[in-house]
Amino acid sequence: MIKLIVFDFDDTIINNDKVDYQSFKIPFKQLGISAPSSNEIKSLRRKGLLAKEIAFNYLIKTKKTALIEEFLFLRKKFLQSKKSISFFYLKKNIKQLFNQLNRKKIRCVVCSARDNKKFIMIFLKKNKILKYF
């Protein structure tokens, strides 16, 4: 009998597409560079590229590779800010899944590579799913 399920926050409970795109768009805009399109980023992510690799390859095209560290700093700052929370969305049918698990008395735990536990708690509360964890 299953007693506990551990869920990863990023890309399991939430859909990362919009926040991932904004985490490129906003820092690049602050650096005065137009960002790659959402589709370009999704395509590179499907190939397994990390944000640093995507940004560096894009900066090579714009001949501004010296800005990579500043980009990464601005990206991290955005992702840790309250501004980013508005770009997070629950995956389709996730609330129904949690309701079913709750009815079966299966406990849920959320984990994440994110540093900011408070951020995750705010998101879970805002989306009325905190009670399941």
Side-chain angles (χ1 to χ4, degrees), residues 27-117:
F28 274 129
K29 185 178 180 180
Q30 291 172 323
L31 295 171
I33 303 168
S34 62
S37 72
S38 178
N39 287 336
E40 287 176 291
I41 293 168
K42 284 180 193 177
S43 174
L44 294 169
R45 288 293 200 186
R46 278 188 226 111
K47 292 178 181 178
L49 270 66
L50 300 173
K52 183 176 184 176
E53 295 165 321
I54 293 169
F56 189 76
N57 289 338
Y58 192 72
L59 289 169
I60 287 172
K61 292 177 188 177
T62 63
K63 298 180 170 111
K64 297 185 179 184
T65 54
L67 296 174
I68 188 66
E69 293 304 321
E70 191 171 352
F71 165 81
L72 293 170
F73 171 78
L74 292 170
R75 182 177 184 274
K76 184 176 182 177
K77 186 177 172 183
F78 165 73
L79 287 170
Q80 292 176 342
S81 74
K82 290 184 180 180
K83 291 178 188 177
S84 68
I85 205 164
S86 64
F87 298 104
F88 284 84
Y89 297 91
L90 286 176
K91 287 241 176 167
K92 188 177 180 181
N93 300 322
I94 199 77
K95 282 187 180 181
Q96 293 87 339
L97 173 63
F98 290 137
N99 278 324
Q100 288 178 336
L101 295 172
N102 190 45
R103 281 194 300 274
K104 293 180 180 186
K105 305 222 185 290
I106 298 173
R107 293 181 53 218
C108 299
V109 174
V110 65
C111 66
S112 177
R114 295 183 179 278
D115 296 337
N116 193 342
K117 177 182 175 183

